[in-house]
Amino acid sequence: KSLCMYQFRLGTVCNSKDVTIQPCRVLTSNKRVSSMVYTSIEENLGDMRPAGTSEYCLLCADHAGDVFAYPLPPIHVEGEEESKSFTSNEHVSKLLLGHTASILTKIKIVRCGGSRKLLSSDRDEKIRISSFPNAFILEGYLLGHSEFISSLDSTDVANDRTICVSGSGDGTVRLWDYSTCKQIAIIEPPCNDDNHNPSLNDSLCVASVAIN
């Protein structure tokens, strides 16, 4: 499986009718990737920021239940010589965490106080809260859905609360406080009228959720 990284100037693309953009980096993944996050590594971690890489990395969640971090090269500025110290064979991915025998559906990076957290949801009805970048530190789970997590979104701070929202194959949308791992609210599927088959609610799945 290939992960292609592109770099382009937005103005050039918007003002041209026929532009072909080639990938500037091609990374490889052993399994199909289900979710990606582009984030910075602010901490001085040598294994995640090798020489010749930038302060940014790409986090990828895959169908094997794992999250990998891929170091990225410095952004190339037009007119400057591109760094030769970064090669695809020299820098490999780093395993951050794994969900046991479950496909990951979404990952998010959030801030909580002076630290950051990695939220990862899967098809086994749970959302894992991990420290970041030391994702081996498990801080808790968000539990309550009865079916797979289909969508996840979050915000750093809202009304002095650290919250995220999740959608599921059980048809519900749930609001969580990820700092305490507690559920705040739940939105049930739409009510049925007298002529509607109640069993249809069992097949409802939340396609996407977003929080602002």
Side-chain angles (χ1 to χ4, degrees):
K1 309 298 185 295
S2 297
L3 302 172
C4 299
M5 177 181 176
Y6 296 84
Q7 180 179 343
F8 59 89
R9 290 183 177 276
L10 185 60
T12 302
V13 175
C14 294
N15 295 328
S16 302
K17 296 182 179 180
D18 186 16
V19 176
T20 301
I21 303 174
Q22 299 296 331
C24 60
R25 291 289 182 268
V26 178
L27 308 172
T28 58
S29 172
N30 292 329
K31 298 293 183 179
R32 182 181 299 174
V33 172
S34 55
S35 182
M36 295 187 296
V37 172
Y38 186 66
T39 188
S40 63
I41 301 295
E42 300 169 355
E43 297 79 0
N44 186 18
L45 298 176
D47 55 347
M48 290 181 66
R49 290 184 61 181
T53 63
S54 70
E55 70 273 23
Y56 295 97
C57 71
L58 183 67
L59 305 186
C60 295
D62 63 29
H63 280 208
D66 297 324
V67 177
F68 287 90
Y70 293 83
L72 296 178
I75 298 299
H76 175 56
V77 179
E78 188 176 350
E80 295 183 1
E81 184 178 357
E82 187 173 5
S83 172
K84 304 299 184 181
S85 59
F86 188 99
T87 64
S88 58
N89 296 326
E90 185 178 359
H91 301 294
V92 296
S93 59
K94 174 182 173 59
L95 177 64
L96 294 185
L97 62 85
H99 286 225
T100 304
S102 183
I103 296 175
L104 292 182
T105 57
K106 191 73 174 180
I107 54 175
K108 297 285 291 185
I109 294 291
V110 295
R111 289 191 178 275
C112 184
S115 63
R116 289 187 292 172
K117 299 181 186 294
L118 172 59
L119 312 184
S120 52
S121 61
D122 62 28
R123 293 189 65 85
D124 285 337
E125 308 100 33
K126 65 180 181 295
I127 301 170
R128 169 176 167 152
I129 312 297
S130 308
S131 177
F132 183 80
N134 298 314
F136 58 85
I137 301 177
L138 173 63
E139 300 191 4
Y141 289 99
L142 305 181
L143 303 175
H145 284 295
S146 59
E147 294 290 343
F148 61 90
I149 310 297
S150 56
S151 185
L152 176 69
D153 197 16
S154 61
T155 182
D156 289 342
V157 178
N159 298 324
D160 297 325
R161 307 180 80 173
T162 46
I163 60 176
C164 67
V165 62
S166 60
S168 170
D170 61 15
T172 65
V173 174
R174 297 173 189 256
L175 194 66
W176 312 85
D177 184 334
Y178 56 76
S179 65
T180 62
C181 295
K182 294 185 180 298
Q183 180 176 293
I184 300 173
I186 177 173
I187 302 174
E188 298 283 356
C191 295
N192 297 303
D193 55 37
D194 295 336
N195 299 321
H196 191 72
N197 184 354
S199 64
L200 291 179
N201 266 359
D202 297 335
S203 62
L204 290 177
C205 174
V206 178
S208 180
V209 294
I211 189 169
N212 190 349

Coordinates of all heavy atoms in Angstrom, one line a residue, residues 136-171:
F136 N 2.0 4.7 24.1 CA 2.0 3.4 24.9 C 1.3 3.7 26.3 O 0.9 2.7 27.0 CB 3.3 2.8 25.1 CG 4.3 3.7 25.8 CD1 4.4 3.8 27.1 CD2 5.2 4.5 25.0 CE1 5.4 4.6 27.7 CE2 6.1 5.3 25.6 CZ 6.2 5.4 27.0
I137 N 1.2 4.9 26.6 CA 0.5 5.3 27.9 C -1.0 5.4 27.7 O -1.5 6.3 27.0 CB 1.1 6.6 28.5 CG1 2.6 6.6 28.7 CG2 0.3 7.0 29.8 CD1 3.2 7.9 29.2
L138 N -1.7 4.4 28.1 CA -3.2 4.4 28.0 C -3.8 5.2 29.1 O -3.6 4.9 30.3 CB -3.6 2.9 28.0 CG -5.2 2.7 28.0 CD1 -5.8 3.3 26.7 CD2 -5.5 1.2 28.1
E139 N -4.6 6.1 28.7 CA -5.3 7.0 29.7 C -6.8 6.6 29.9 O -7.4 7.1 30.9 CB -5.2 8.5 29.3 CG -3.7 8.9 29.1 CD -3.6 10.4 29.0 OE1 -4.6 11.1 29.0 OE2 -2.5 10.9 28.8
G140 N -7.3 5.8 29.1 CA -8.7 5.4 29.3 C -9.4 5.1 28.0 O -8.9 5.2 26.9
Y141 N -10.7 4.7 28.1 CA -11.6 4.4 27.0 C -12.9 5.2 27.1 O -13.4 5.5 28.2 CB -11.9 2.9 26.9 CG -10.7 2.0 26.5 CD1 -10.0 1.3 27.5 CD2 -10.4 1.8 25.2 CE1 -8.9 0.5 27.2 CE2 -9.3 1.0 24.8 CZ -8.6 0.4 25.8 OH -7.5 -0.4 25.5
L142 N -13.5 5.5 26.0 CA -14.8 6.0 25.9 C -15.7 4.8 25.5 O -15.7 4.4 24.3 CB -14.9 7.1 24.9 CG -13.9 8.3 25.1 CD1 -14.2 9.4 24.1 CD2 -14.1 8.9 26.5
L143 N -16.6 4.4 26.4 CA -17.4 3.2 26.2 C -18.9 3.5 26.3 O -19.3 4.3 27.2 CB -17.0 2.1 27.2 CG -15.6 1.7 27.2 CD1 -15.3 0.7 28.4 CD2 -15.2 1.0 25.9
G144 N -19.7 3.0 25.4 CA -21.1 3.2 25.5 C -21.8 2.8 24.2 O -23.0 2.4 24.2
H145 N -21.1 2.9 23.1 CA -21.7 2.5 21.8 C -21.9 0.9 21.8 O -21.1 0.2 22.4 CB -20.8 2.9 20.6 CG -20.9 4.3 20.3 ND1 -22.1 4.9 19.8 CD2 -20.0 5.3 20.3 CE1 -21.9 6.2 19.6 NE2 -20.6 6.5 19.9
S146 N -22.9 0.5 21.1 CA -23.1 -1.0 21.0 C -22.8 -1.5 19.7 O -22.8 -2.7 19.4 CB -24.6 -1.3 21.3 OG -25.5 -0.6 20.4
E147 N -22.3 -0.6 18.7 CA -21.9 -1.1 17.4 C -20.6 -0.3 17.1 O -20.1 0.5 17.9 CB -22.9 -0.8 16.3 CG -24.2 -1.7 16.5 CD -24.0 -3.1 16.2 OE1 -22.9 -3.5 15.6 OE2 -24.8 -3.9 16.6
F148 N -20.0 -0.6 15.9 CA -18.7 0.0 15.5 C -18.8 1.5 15.5 O -19.9 2.1 15.3 CB -18.3 -0.5 14.1 CG -19.3 -0.2 13.1 CD1 -19.2 1.0 12.3 CD2 -20.3 -1.1 12.8 CE1 -20.1 1.3 11.3 CE2 -21.3 -0.8 11.8 CZ -21.1 0.4 11.0
I149 N -17.7 2.2 15.7 CA -17.6 3.6 15.6 C -17.3 4.0 14.2 O -16.4 3.6 13.6 CB -16.4 4.2 16.5 CG1 -16.4 3.6 17.9 CG2 -16.4 5.7 16.5 CD1 -17.6 4.0 18.7
S150 N -18.3 4.7 13.6 CA -18.2 5.1 12.2 C -17.5 6.4 11.9 O -17.0 6.7 10.9 CB -19.6 5.0 11.6 OG -20.5 5.9 12.3
S151 N -17.6 7.3 12.9 CA -17.1 8.7 12.7 C -16.7 9.3 14.1 O -17.2 8.9 15.1 CB -18.1 9.6 12.1 OG -17.6 10.8 11.8
L152 N -15.7 10.2 14.0 CA -15.1 10.8 15.3 C -14.6 12.2 14.9 O -13.9 12.4 13.9 CB -14.0 9.9 15.8 CG -13.3 10.4 17.1 CD1 -14.2 10.4 18.3 CD2 -12.0 9.6 17.3
D153 N -14.9 13.1 15.8 CA -14.4 14.5 15.6 C -14.2 15.1 17.0 O -14.8 14.6 18.0 CB -15.3 15.4 14.8 CG -14.6 16.6 14.3 OD1 -13.4 16.6 14.3 OD2 -15.3 17.6 13.9
S154 N -13.4 16.1 17.1 CA -13.0 16.6 18.5 C -12.7 18.1 18.4 O -12.4 18.6 17.3 CB -11.9 15.8 19.1 OG -10.7 16.0 18.2
T155 N -12.6 18.7 19.5 CA -12.2 20.1 19.6 C -11.3 20.2 20.9 O -11.4 19.3 21.8 CB -13.3 21.1 19.8 OG1 -12.8 22.4 19.8 CG2 -14.2 20.8 21.0
D156 N -10.3 21.1 20.9 CA -9.4 21.1 22.0 C -10.1 21.6 23.3 O -10.0 21.0 24.3 CB -8.2 22.0 21.6 CG -7.3 21.4 20.6 OD1 -7.4 20.2 20.5 OD2 -6.5 22.1 20.0
V157 N -10.7 22.8 23.2 CA -11.4 23.3 24.4 C -12.7 24.0 23.9 O -12.7 24.8 23.0 CB -10.5 24.4 25.1 CG1 -11.2 25.0 26.2 CG2 -9.2 23.8 25.5
A158 N -13.7 23.7 24.6 CA -15.0 24.3 24.3 C -15.7 24.5 25.7 O -16.1 23.6 26.3 CB -15.9 23.5 23.4
N159 N -15.9 25.8 26.0 CA -16.5 26.1 27.3 C -15.8 25.5 28.5 O -16.4 24.9 29.4 CB -18.0 25.7 27.3 CG -18.8 26.4 26.2 OD1 -18.6 27.6 26.0 ND2 -19.8 25.7 25.6
D160 N -14.5 25.6 28.4 CA -13.6 25.0 29.4 C -13.7 23.5 29.5 O -13.4 22.9 30.6 CB -13.9 25.6 30.8 CG -13.6 27.1 30.8 OD1 -12.6 27.5 30.1 OD2 -14.3 27.9 31.4
R161 N -14.2 22.8 28.5 CA -14.3 21.4 28.5 C -13.6 20.8 27.3 O -13.7 21.3 26.2 CB -15.8 20.9 28.5 CG -16.6 21.6 29.7 CD -18.0 21.1 29.7 NE -18.1 19.8 30.3 CZ -19.3 19.2 30.6 NH1 -20.4 19.8 30.2 NH2 -19.3 18.0 31.1
T162 N -13.0 19.7 27.5 CA -12.4 18.9 26.4 C -13.3 17.9 25.9 O -13.6 16.9 26.6 CB -11.1 18.3 26.9 OG1 -11.3 17.6 28.1 CG2 -10.0 19.3 27.1
I163 N -13.9 18.1 24.7 CA -15.0 17.3 24.2 C -14.7 16.7 22.8 O -13.9 17.2 22.0 CB -16.3 18.0 24.2 CG1 -16.2 19.3 23.2 CG2 -16.7 18.5 25.6 CD1 -17.5 20.0 23.1
C164 N -15.3 15.6 22.6 CA -15.3 15.0 21.3 C -16.7 14.4 21.0 O -17.5 14.2 21.9 CB -14.2 13.9 21.1 SG -14.5 12.4 22.2
V165 N -17.0 14.1 19.8 CA -18.3 13.5 19.4 C -18.0 12.3 18.5 O -17.1 12.3 17.7 CB -19.1 14.6 18.6 CG1 -18.4 15.1 17.3 CG2 -20.5 14.1 18.3
S166 N -18.9 11.3 18.7 CA -18.7 10.1 17.9 C -20.0 9.6 17.3 O -21.1 9.9 17.9 CB -18.1 9.0 18.8 OG -19.0 8.7 19.9
G167 N -20.0 9.0 16.2 CA -21.1 8.4 15.5 C -20.9 6.9 15.4 O -19.7 6.5 15.4
S168 N -22.0 6.1 15.3 CA -21.8 4.7 15.4 C -22.8 4.0 14.5 O -23.8 4.5 14.1 CB -21.9 4.2 16.9 OG -22.0 2.8 17.0
G169 N -22.5 2.7 14.3 CA -23.5 1.8 13.6 C -24.7 1.5 14.4 O -25.7 1.0 13.9
D170 N -24.7 1.9 15.7 CA -25.9 1.7 16.5 C -26.9 2.9 16.3 O -28.0 2.9 16.9 CB -25.6 1.6 18.0 CG -24.9 2.8 18.6 OD1 -24.9 3.9 18.0 OD2 -24.3 2.7 19.7
G171 N -26.6 3.8 15.4 CA -27.5 4.9 15.1 C -27.4 6.1 16.0 O -28.1 7.1 15.8

